[in-house]
Amino acid sequence: AAGMFLRLLADVRWRAADPRWRSAARCHRSTSAAAEAHPVPLPAQAQVVICGGGIMGTSVAYHLSKLGWKDIVLLEQGRLAAGTTRFCAGIVSMARHTSLELKMADYSNKLYQQLEQETGIQTGYTKTGSISLAQTQDRLISLKRIASSLNVMGIPCEIITPKQVAQLHPLINIHDLVGAMYLPEDALVLSASVSLALATAASRNGVQIHERTSVSHISVQKGRVTAVETDRGQIKCQYFVNCAGQWAYELGHSGEEPVNIPLHACEHFYLLTHPLKEPLASNVPTVVDPDGRIYIRNWQGGILSGGFEKNPKPLFTEGRNQLEIHNLQEDWDHFEPLLSALLRRMPDVEALQIMQLVNCPESFTPDMRCIMGESPTVRGYFVLAGMNSAGISYGGGAGKYLAEWMVNGYPSENVWPLDLKRFGTLQSSRTFLRHRVMEVMPLMCDLKVPRWDFQTGRQLRTSPLYDRLDAQGARWMEKHGFERVKYFVPPGSDLLDLDQRKTFYKPDWFDIVGAEVKCCKEAVCVIDMSSFTKFEISSTGDQALESLQYLFSNDLDVPVGHVVHTGMLNEKGGYENDCSIARLSKRSFFMISPTDQQVHCWAWLKNRLPEDSNLVMEDVTWKYTALNLIGPRAVDVLSELSYAPMTPEHFPSLFCKEMSVGYANGIRVMSITHTGEPGFMLYIPIEYALHVYNEVMNMGQKYGIRNAGYYALRSLRIEKFFAFWGQDLDAFTTPMECGREFQVKLEKGMDFVGQEALLEQKQNGVYKRFTMFILEDHDTDMDLWPWWGEPIFRNGRYVGKTTSSAYSYTLERHVCLGFVHHFDEKTGEELVVTTDFINQGEYEIDIAGQRFQAKAKLYPFSSLFAQRRRKDEEELSGYQRE
């Protein structure tokens, strides 16, 4: 079998490369661990124990040793690279939708290119290039978006015509193509050989590698990893790294403290053929046909072709699977749609003799992104798994980032999109994972349009108002498992069309959201924002205040009843969280954070708050329903319901007070809306939610009240230049870089985390600035819409990317938010970004290769709103005079 041939070849090279391993190569005929001799005993202790000898485990070991950590043990239950790595198709491609994944793939490509020279082990690295085909205009737009990102990162890439495709690969049928994307730097490797080369280099740097050693249990004391139990004895350690691939889920649950690693395996099929009569050249480009759901690469003069079918087959739902992965059962009936797509794309394949249909397991995650980082529940327990069939492309970069995380405390890039803490326990249900991966695997090839939503695992976390809102036309999206309203479909609209039409252009909900925004500005709207993360922190003495003063950048020693916007910063001054904290009493605080902060923020605080029985932190997210009452008439609605004056004189901005609303007591009312518009947030004990909602809607009828969703909220907050954590703010963004100095009290009388970094920035300046862009020559009806991640150009030179965007119904134009950098034109070195640098440039935003002029601002467009209103009034008065 082809896979066995690669495995045996790699085995020989690995054993020949390192003399220490020659004596260990005994009894390989048997697959039984009992039959395997163990000439080298396990060490009693190590700094790091890595479980898993595939591409991920060996990459982590390699990069840790490069960073100077030597006391490392890598354990593999079978043989090195005998898991999914062994069956990997070996395609290294940089055609990725996000810049983080693109950077990981680019680094992997460069690493594999020099690995053979470094280790002496042939990795089969061949630079073939790749061609991604487009059968539709929408697919071509998607490829153009990727090409824009690749080009500004210096990775060669071009959009080509069908005729150019035929010139690059004569066997490809081009009759149904509208274009393609060509990446000349993409490559092929022997995956098992790459893994063994990384292991060889790590071994030479002092890493101990033990095959035929199974990890059975992770010992934890006081929330930290202390030891690893194996079938050959215990190893005491400070760090454990779970790189067990498809076994990572079970291994995570084998410790004293379970670590949830949400991934699930599916069967993945690919075909191997004998060579063509005229064997394919070794450097013929790899072909990816996402509309046909297949990929095609050269394999020893023939082809290797697999794909991602619409009806995948999950594996091992019942629990632990076999030690080593063997080729699973062939299923030609299941592979037939992919085979038909292959024959359409390469008709000459019909004459080829098929060697084998390979069926191997691949691990997929709930959101199609890999899993990386430290466990939120166990310190020193790190994870790198769930590669969604891109393990060889990400292997080098992912191993590098995790090694940096362990050694330096954080990687060199913002890896939040991959962080294990983006998931909660709810995503670890076996049933949820089985159903979700059946959706995820086909999505690997589906068109990624703005704001698409998963369909499986829904209605899991819902507000008490879910049924009520759903009956009124709510259309839902999901965040951290929580259902949130996008917008409300008015009675009589074509519901099916609104739900199912996907486009890169003006969406069908445009007018619906516009009406909700108008109501927020002129009357009053209600948005259910119950998904916000909510913590209560209290103490018997001053412990809560003192701890929070150290962990947050703003001054929280404010009078009772005041609300403070503040950042939870890291040592470099970057945002680990952006939140609002209300002081409920002298010793009690109520903290509101973004929805996806529930696990991350809890772990961050838990690891840094002092162990004091008098200091209590409680997650009260589920205890409160949150209603956002937005608009100038919100004050009237709430005044009548509470029989209390709610005007700014009686209820100033950023104020919090417990009130009665209708019959319900204990409603926490805050004078903030997270949009810049007037209004209030109501935090309602969950049992009163329906009553308060009904009272608000009934009372609001005379003020023109209506429901609204998060799309309206997004438009409002972006036109007011409000940054959101996870979209605009991250662990590499400081308050100084995004105009939030007012949320920092550098002189509050005590030190806080990140203070030194902010003081340094205040003195020396910043190297990026959060900037607002209004598109000037963009036709909302005819042009492609910005999304996020679009390149920003200043005077024709690339200076950064957008982080979020929305249509401003007030300005009647698109607004993008993003960061501007200042690169030296000769050296590329980053320079300080000044206000003059921002204001004196001519800007363009690149949307799928087309550039649109944009005006840059460092402050909200409120002055423009006023100018527009004055202009409208003048026109109106002029009309009346006539």
Side-chain angles (χ1 to χ4, degrees):
M4 187 59 71
F5 169 74
L6 289 175
R7 175 60 240 176
L8 291 172
L9 182 66
D11 264 353
V12 171
R13 289 172 181 157
W14 161 239
R15 297 308 190 272
D18 197 330
R20 289 188 295 167
W21 282 83
R22 289 174 190 157
S23 62
R26 303 173 190 171
C27 307
H28 268 290
R29 292 174 194 151
S30 170
T31 59
S32 161
E36 180 73 29
H38 293 295
V40 183
L42 292 180
Q45 61 183 43
Q47 184 183 11
V48 182
V49 173
I50 302 170
C51 177
I55 186 69
M56 294 302 147
T58 54
S59 178
V60 172
Y62 171 87
H63 287 96
L64 283 174
S65 68
K66 287 282 186 182
L67 290 172
W69 284 19
K70 309 294 184 185
D71 188 12
I72 300 167
V73 175
L74 188 150
L75 306 177
E76 165 54 48
Q77 63 180 350
R79 291 176 295 168
L80 286 173
T84 304
T85 302
R86 165 186 166 190
F87 287 102
C88 179
I91 300 169
V92 184
S93 175
M94 290 168 283
R96 305 292 164 187
H97 283 276
T98 68
S99 59
L100 177 61
E101 291 171 336
L102 197 159
K103 287 174 183 175
M104 288 199 299
D106 183 40
Y107 174 83
S108 298
N109 195 329
K110 291 181 170 72
L111 173 67
Y112 303 157
Q113 196 168 354
Q114 56 87 35
L115 205 53
E116 196 168 311
Q117 183 179 352
E118 181 183 346
T119 63
I121 294 179
Q122 293 182 3
T123 59
Y125 182 92
T126 309
K127 193 172 286 187
T128 61
S130 75
I131 308 169
S132 296
L133 309 179
Q135 294 182 30
T136 66
Q137 287 297 333
D138 273 351
R139 178 69 67 182
L140 191 59
I141 290 167
S142 180
L143 295 178
K144 286 177 177 178
R145 287 185 62 90
I146 296 173
S148 291
S149 292
L150 288 164
N151 285 325
V152 296
M153 290 184 64
I155 297 169
C157 170
E158 60 179 313
I159 298 297
I160 59 175
T161 64
K163 284 185 178 179
Q164 288 173 297
V165 172
Q167 290 166 4
L168 288 165
H169 201 309
L171 297 181
I172 294 296
N173 177 10
I174 63 169
H175 79 279
D176 58 347
L177 301 182
V178 297
M181 179 175 70
Y182 176 51
L183 275 73
E185 299 289 314
D186 280 359
L188 297 177
V189 294
L190 294 172
S191 306
S193 299
V194 169
S195 187
L196 294 166
L198 291 168
T200 300
S203 179
R204 290 173 183 168
N205 278 333
V207 176
Q208 298 182 55
I209 300 176
H210 296 267
E211 295 180 305
R212 302 293 184 195
T213 307
S214 295
V215 173
S216 57
H217 184 77
I218 312 300
S219 298
V220 177
Q221 289 182 10
K222 295 182 178 179
R224 282 205 72 98
V225 168
T226 56
V228 174
E229 302 287 345
T230 77
D231 57 352
R232 294 174 55 202
Q234 183 191 77
I235 306 175
K236 292 182 178 178
C237 62
Q238 297 168 258
Y239 299 93
F240 175 71
V241 188
N242 183 340
C243 295
Q246 59 171 324
W247 294 278
Y249 179 97
E250 284 84 11
L251 183 59
H253 285 263
S254 68
E256 294 165 6
E257 180 80 38
V259 174
N260 292 306
I261 305 166
L263 54 78
H264 200 298
C266 283
E267 294 183 25
H268 179 59
F269 296 87
Y270 62 78
L271 185 75
L272 295 169
T273 76
H274 287 283
L276 282 78
K277 286 183 181 178
E278 287 187 26
L280 281 176
S282 61
N283 63 348
V284 70
T286 297
V287 174
V288 180
D289 183 2
D291 296 308
R293 318 191 75 81
I294 57 169
Y295 57 84
I296 309 162
R297 57 153 287 192
N298 166 61
W299 189 78
Q300 297 183 359
I303 67 161
L304 180 160
S305 179
F308 301 94
E309 62 274 24
K310 289 184 177 180
N311 56 334
K313 298 165 71 175
L315 274 171
F316 313 128
T317 305
E318 293 73 30
R320 200 169 179 84
N321 45 19
Q322 70 268 28
L323 284 182
E324 287 186 12
I325 298 173
H326 302 285
N327 189 11
L328 302 167
Q329 192 169 356
E330 292 184 349
D331 188 340
W332 283 101
D333 289 340
H334 192 76
F335 189 70
E336 193 277 330
L338 300 180
L339 180 59
S340 297
L342 172 61
L343 291 172
R344 283 194 299 273
R345 190 55 58 212
M346 283 184 72
D348 289 6
V349 170
E350 199 159 8
L352 285 179
Q353 186 179 353
I354 291 169
M355 180 183 291
Q356 186 183 8
L357 179 63
V358 177
N359 177 5
C360 59
E362 283 278 7
S363 297
F364 294 88
T365 63
D367 61 0
M368 295 190 291
R369 298 196 298 263
C370 73
I371 296 172
M372 167 190 302
E374 189 174 17
S375 160
T377 54
V378 181
R379 301 295 303 274
Y381 191 121
F382 285 82
V383 178
L384 185 58
M387 292 295 133
N388 300 283
S389 201
I392 197 66
S393 289
Y394 296 154
K400 172 179 179 280
Y401 288 155
L402 193 77
E404 291 172 344
W405 201 330
M406 295 173 69
V407 174
N408 303 325
Y410 208 81
S412 53
E413 292 286 341
N414 169 40
V415 295
W416 169 248
L418 313 179
D419 195 327
L420 172 62
K421 292 183 281 294
R422 72 187 187 270
F423 295 118
T425 54
L426 57 94
Q427 283 101 348
S428 289
S429 151
R430 272 292 194 185
T431 304
F432 168 84
L433 288 171
R434 181 183 176 88
H435 290 173
R436 176 55 66 86
V437 297
M438 290 174 72
E439 179 184 10
V440 159
M441 194 169 166
L443 280 170
M444 302 295 291
C445 290
D446 284 357
L447 199 62
K448 308 296 188 302
V449 298
R451 302 181 182 93
W452 54 271
D453 303 294
F454 290 106
Q455 301 303 308
T456 53
R458 297 294 297 272
Q459 298 180 29
L460 197 55
R461 300 175 72 195
T462 61
S463 156
L465 306 177
Y466 179 87
D467 289 338
R468 185 72 198 279
L469 300 178
D470 196 57
Q472 295 179 75
R475 286 296 167 265
W476 302 92
M477 60 182 178
E478 170 255 335
K479 182 88 166 183
H480 203 63
F482 214 113
E483 295 294 326
R484 312 201 305 185
V485 181
K486 295 189 281 191
Y487 49 80
F488 286 82
V489 177
S493 297
D494 187 342
L495 309 188
L496 189 67
D497 187 48
L498 269 169
D499 282 342
Q500 300 199 346
R501 185 157 177 259
K502 298 177 179 179
T503 180
F504 289 100
Y505 292 90
K506 181 180 177 180
D508 289 338
W509 45 257
F510 179 81
D511 292 330
I512 293 173
V513 174
E516 292 179 4
V517 168
K518 188 171 188 287
C519 188
C520 287
K521 289 183 170 293
E522 296 177 359
V524 57
C525 278
V526 178
I527 303 180
D528 184 346
M529 299 179 69
S530 302
S531 66
F532 271 179
T533 298
K534 300 173 276 286
F535 296 163
E536 284 183 5
I537 302 158
S538 58
S539 59
T540 54
D542 293 332
Q543 300 96 326
L545 176 62
E546 289 171 1
S547 299
L548 296 181
Q549 284 283 65
Y550 174 67
L551 292 173
F552 291 87
S553 61
N554 212 339
D555 189 359
L556 297 175
D557 193 4
V558 294
V560 171
H562 283 247
V563 182
V564 177
H565 286 312
T566 183
M568 183 175 81
L569 310 181
N570 54 37
E571 284 72 14
K572 293 182 178 179
Y575 279 98
E576 292 295 334
N577 185 12
D578 178 46
C579 55
S580 302
I581 298 180
R583 191 170 193 177
L584 302 179
S585 70
K586 284 193 66 121
R587 296 166 181 173
S588 177
F589 297 84
F590 185 51
M591 176 178 169
I592 303 109
S593 305
T595 303
D596 48 7
Q597 275 280 4
Q598 190 165 15
V599 176
H600 172 70
C601 182
W602 179 271
W604 181 271
L605 290 174
K606 205 72 177 169
N607 291 334
R608 287 160 180 79
L609 287 171
E611 290 186 19
D612 186 339
S613 59
N614 296 315
L615 179 64
V616 178
M617 180 170 69
E618 183 185 2
D619 186 344
V620 294
T621 300
W622 63 275
K623 285 187 176 183
Y624 293 94
T625 296
L627 291 182
N628 196 350
L629 212 57
I630 304 177
R633 306 314 297 265
V635 63
D636 301 306
V637 174
L638 213 49
S639 292
E640 292 198 40
L641 280 174
S642 61
Y643 294 98
M646 301 297 293
T647 56
E649 298 79 41
H650 298 92
F651 208 106
S653 180
L654 296 176
F655 193 68
C656 174
K657 186 178 179 182
E658 284 204 354
M659 303 177 65
S660 297
V661 177
Y663 296 147
N665 288 320
I667 313 299
R668 290 177 183 170
V669 180
M670 299 185 193
S671 48
I672 53 174
T673 64
H674 307 284
T675 63
E677 300 295 331
F680 304 90
M681 285 293 304
L682 278 59
Y683 289 92
I684 308 159
I686 206 160
E687 64 269 29
Y688 300 145
L690 200 55
H691 167 73
V692 172
Y693 173 78
N694 289 337
E695 290 288 300
V696 167
M697 294 304 287
N698 290 334
M699 184 62 71
Q701 290 300 318
K702 60 184 176 183
Y703 299 110
I705 198 167
R706 67 180 290 168
N707 292 297
Y710 272 80
Y711 283 10
L713 184 88
R714 182 186 185 89
S715 175
L716 291 167
R717 73 95 177 168
I718 287 178
E719 73 177 20
K720 288 291 176 68
F721 205 5
F722 277 30
F724 266 28
W725 191 90
Q727 295 173 43
D728 311 300
L729 308 179
D730 58 41
F732 284 78
T733 305
T734 74
M736 303 298 181
E737 294 165 345
C738 60
R740 290 187 166 204
E741 297 91 334
F742 64 94
Q743 292 185 12
V744 177
K745 290 291 186 289
L746 290 169
E747 311 297 334
K748 64 178 178 179
M750 65 176 294
D751 295 339
F752 61 87
V753 178
Q755 185 178 28
E756 284 186 27
L758 298 186
L759 284 168
E760 187 178 326
Q761 280 194 335
K762 186 178 181 181
Q763 183 176 344
N764 300 331
V766 296
Y767 291 90
K768 63 178 180 180
R769 284 290 292 271
F770 192 50
T771 309
M772 186 180 199
F773 298 94
I774 180 165
L775 298 189
E776 297 278 274
D777 58 346
H778 183 271
D779 187 323
T780 305
D781 295 315
M782 302 301 296
D783 289 325
L784 290 169
W785 275 33
W787 184 6
W788 56 267
E790 289 86 10
I792 303 165
F793 290 86
R794 179 186 180 275
N795 298 346
R797 293 178 60 84
Y798 170 69
V799 290
K801 286 190 174 182
T802 63
T803 52
S804 57
S805 68
Y807 182 79
S808 166
Y809 293 89
T810 310
L811 290 172
E812 298 179 3
R813 291 181 194 169
H814 257 99
V815 175
C816 300
L817 309 181
F819 285 92
V820 172
H821 302 252
H822 184 185
F823 302 108
D824 185 277
E825 293 190 17
K826 293 179 180 177
T827 64
E829 177 190 0
E830 282 204 82
L831 304 174
V832 170
V833 179
T834 62
T835 302
D836 285 345
F837 179 80
I838 299 289
N839 291 336
Q840 292 171 7
E842 296 289 330
Y843 291 89
E844 294 172 304
I845 306 293
D846 181 319
I847 307 175
Q850 185 177 357
R851 295 188 189 181
F852 296 92
Q853 291 179 359
K855 181 173 285 187
K857 289 285 182 180
L858 288 169
Y859 51 86
F861 280 85
S862 53
S863 59
L864 285 181
F865 299 158
Q867 288 171 17
R868 182 177 287 273
R869 279 197 295 271
R870 281 197 299 272
K871 186 180 176 185
D872 291 344
E873 287 164 7
E874 286 168 11
E875 289 175 356
L876 184 61
S877 60
Y879 171 76
Q880 288 170 337
R881 279 196 300 270
E882 289 173 4

